[in-house]
Amino acid sequence: MTKNTVKSNISRSARLSVAPMMDWTDKHCRYLHRLLSGEALLYTEMVTAPALVRGGALHLLEFSPEEFPVALQLGGSNPVELAAAARLGQAAGYDEINLNCGCPSDRVQSGTFGAVLMKDPGRVAACVAEMRAAVDVDVTVKCRIGVDDQDPEEVLPEFLARIVAAGCERVTIHARKAWLQGLSPKENRDIPPLDYDLVHRMKGLFPNLHISINGGVTSLEQARTHLEGGLDGVMIGRAAYHQPADILSTADRDIFGRDHVSDPVDVVHAMLPYIEAHLSAGGRLHQISRHMLGLFAGRPGARAWRRHLSEGAARKQAGPELVEAALALVAMQPEARAG
């Protein structure tokens, strides 16, 4: 497969992506999501460049070949270090390297990366340029529309212009400002108002830039509205995690035009060999099953499914049979809607 073919495939997959989410989108979560959708682009949790380059934590790059297409999100602000981390990511097999310019947590700010980088577009551009020079895969950016007292109408176009000039061809914009002081990371996901119109206007200003929108999207219907409105992609976060089947089961058909719809019952059966292999390698069931709790959200038996997995998966001897027993409870539930 040629470099241009890989880029083309990734750009197509980016029509719908699952957001990088700390403590959530680990390799087990991504394996589950890939069984639900063969097309959507998946992202790792943020991995810091210092952890890879200085700490040698290459285990953070582990993933299954079945996860493709999959992107590595990096955190950092040192261009040389990020370039070195990007090389490690490409060597590990990732299809894309993404730079985090959107996370507002105190821990991230103290490392001078994440949303605080919105204040320094020159540094971000330097990082993108070094990373682009270091790898052949796409280098992308995830950002906010601005931070603190910045005027997004002014700062976002300048920010995008700088990273485009540095070689960035795809960007994901979380359509909220981030407040670096006074709001927690959770509050920063909910309290600052969404400005979808601003993100859509950026497509008019940067017609050759692949722009995905993120923030507050909770259904494929909303995603299609953004795509039909002219954006190139939609990134969904919490909804894709808490109700994965609702977002991903019909995504291949509804977003990508494939004749494929996944069944969460079939997905559970397909997870069993993966669970067996994880347990054989010394892992624990709850490390995987915690990502499966929302598979039947809103469907008959969802409550019984969640309860059985939650109560039993942490036990030392818990294995695939617990998952099969929980699945049997889904079929047994008479109620029309789960709680």
Side-chain angles (χ1 to χ4, degrees):
M1 185 175 292
T2 67
K3 174 181 173 181
N4 287 338
T5 301
V6 171
K7 284 181 175 289
S8 174
N9 289 344
I10 292 299
S11 294
R12 180 177 182 274
S13 295
R15 280 178 60 78
L16 183 73
S17 58
V18 178
M21 292 175 281
M22 292 298 293
D23 300 321
W24 288 3
T25 51
D26 63 16
K27 62 182 180 180
H28 307 309
C29 174
R30 298 192 304 268
Y31 190 92
L32 171 69
H33 286 177
R34 180 57 67 222
L35 290 175
L36 288 162
S37 168
E39 298 286 345
L41 179 58
L42 305 179
Y43 281 82
T44 68
E45 305 170 85
M46 184 187 67
V47 178
T48 69
L52 296 176
V53 177
R54 286 183 248 159
L58 299 184
H59 65 280
L60 297 175
L61 298 177
E62 293 175 0
F63 68 99
S64 302
E66 291 85 356
E67 294 173 34
F68 287 118
V70 60
L72 168 67
Q73 186 182 67
L74 293 176
S77 60
N78 181 306
V80 174
E81 197 163 59
L82 279 165
R87 280 192 292 269
L88 292 171
Q90 177 174 275
Y94 285 96
D95 295 309
E96 170 195 330
I97 310 297
N98 178 265
L99 178 60
N100 183 328
C101 296
C103 181
S105 77
D106 291 340
R107 180 169 65 87
V108 168
Q109 288 182 57
S110 66
T112 321
F113 50 88
V116 70
L117 287 174
M118 294 296 298
K119 294 183 174 183
D120 195 350
R123 177 181 288 269
V124 176
C127 292
V128 169
E130 287 284 342
M131 294 163 73
R132 285 277 293 144
V135 298
D136 295 325
V137 297
D138 273 6
V139 173
T140 67
V141 172
K142 186 173 187 292
C143 67
R144 294 277 182 144
I145 60 174
V147 296
D148 297 340
D149 293 321
Q150 288 181 332
D151 180 356
E153 295 277 1
E154 295 180 2
V155 301
L156 185 57
E158 177 190 355
F159 182 88
L160 295 180
R162 297 291 290 269
I163 64 172
V164 167
C168 179
E169 298 175 353
R170 279 197 289 123
V171 63
T172 299
I173 305 172
H174 187 147
R176 286 186 175 95
K177 288 175 71 171
W179 291 91
L180 303 179
Q181 302 295 331
L183 292 182
S184 68
K186 181 180 185 302
E187 290 170 329
N188 263 304
R189 292 192 295 267
D190 296 307
I191 292 177
L194 287 159
D195 192 344
Y196 290 149
D197 289 343
L198 175 61
V199 179
H200 279 263
R201 290 198 297 276
M202 292 304 102
K203 185 61 186 177
L205 292 177
F206 300 91
N208 296 322
L209 178 63
H210 186 294
I211 298 179
S212 292
I213 195 166
N214 173 232
V217 181
T218 59
S219 70
L220 288 186
E221 182 179 5
Q222 288 176 280
R224 286 197 301 269
T225 297
H226 286 298
L227 293 170
E228 291 164 3
L231 292 180
D232 303 290
V234 178
M235 177 180 280
I236 303 181
R238 285 168 288 170
Y241 186 85
H242 291 302
Q243 298 98 38
D246 288 348
I247 300 299
L248 296 173
S249 283
T250 63
D252 291 357
R253 181 192 68 192
D254 296 344
I255 302 297
F256 298 97
R258 275 186 56 197
D259 184 20
H260 175 256
V261 173
S262 62
D263 182 335
V265 173
D266 293 337
V267 167
V268 172
H269 287 299
M271 285 295 294
L272 296 178
Y274 181 82
I275 290 171
E276 288 272 18
H278 177 66
L279 297 178
S280 296
R284 301 286 291 273
L285 176 61
H286 71 88
Q287 293 169 320
I288 297 176
S289 62
R290 69 188 183 98
H291 303 300
M292 302 172 66
L293 296 178
L295 262 179
F296 299 97
R299 306 182 189 201
R303 183 187 293 113
W305 162 264
R306 290 195 306 268
R307 182 186 301 120
H308 199 76
L309 283 186
S310 297
E311 292 176 354
R315 296 172 186 160
K316 189 172 182 180
Q317 301 304 320
E321 69 284 346
L322 179 79
V323 179
E324 293 178 287
L327 186 60
L329 294 174
V330 173
M332 290 167 54
Q333 292 298 308
E335 74 264 26
R337 183 170 178 82

